[in-house]
Amino acid sequence: VLSATPRLIRSNAEGAVPSPDGTLVAFRSGATVSVINITGENIREIANADLSETFGKLQWSPDGKSIAALVRRRGGHTAVEAIEIVSGKRTPLVQRPHLRSYVWLPDGRLVFAVQDPGTSSAGSWWRSRQS
């Protein structure tokens, strides 16, 4: 991999993450979350943000059937939602005030960081839940 020549498979993409099996790449583009195969073909939009929300960090589920997305909504509400690759169905995994980041662990637990609202610093604490 380190000796391979990089190749552009998609422009206008942010937050790209490869699937666990390496066959697909999920990314954000504007108000959408999409997947594309590693050759740059067969792009599919799997989720569209409504006017009150934006997508942030993306991460594949351990089984490769869903993508978790940090969803920021007007009014400061933030959630991590699972988006099924086949259907596009969105399922909330966790919603917390001051939610900042998350990691979906190989054993299915979701670990997330929440900013301490009592300080002006960006200090965080981590919690986990089984998804």
Side-chain angles (χ1 to χ4, degrees), residues 1-129:
V1 172
L2 295 177
S3 63
T5 303
R7 185 171 65 86
L8 178 69
I9 62 170
R10 175 73 182 178
S11 59
N12 191 28
E14 296 180 294
V17 290
S19 62
D21 67 3
T23 62
L24 297 172
V25 177
F27 64 92
R28 299 183 319 270
S29 181
T32 65
V33 173
S34 300
V35 293
I36 192 169
N37 67 24
I38 59 168
T39 63
E41 300 170 319
N42 300 321
I43 186 170
R44 288 186 296 125
E45 289 184 1
I46 61 167
N48 290 295
D50 67 28
L51 294 176
S52 68
E53 62 188 17
T54 59
F55 292 120
K57 176 187 174 178
L58 303 176
Q59 183 181 353
W60 286 86
S61 63
D63 65 7
K65 295 180 181 178
S66 299
I67 296 169
L70 189 65
V71 182
R72 295 180 187 96
R73 294 188 174 86
R74 265 190 222 137
H77 303 287
T78 307
V80 177
E81 294 184 2
I83 306 167
E84 292 180 14
I85 300 302
V86 174
S87 68
K89 178 183 174 191
R90 292 169 61 174
T91 303
L93 299 177
V94 66
Q95 182 171 333
R96 294 277 193 280
H98 313 290
L99 181 63
R100 291 303 210 208
S101 188
Y102 68 93
V103 176
W104 205 340
L105 299 175
D107 66 5
R109 286 180 299 151
L110 189 73
V111 179
F112 53 94
V114 180
Q115 184 174 357
D116 184 352
T119 69
S120 59
S121 69
S124 299
W125 65 90
W126 291 87
R127 298 181 182 174
S128 68
R129 69 170 285 248

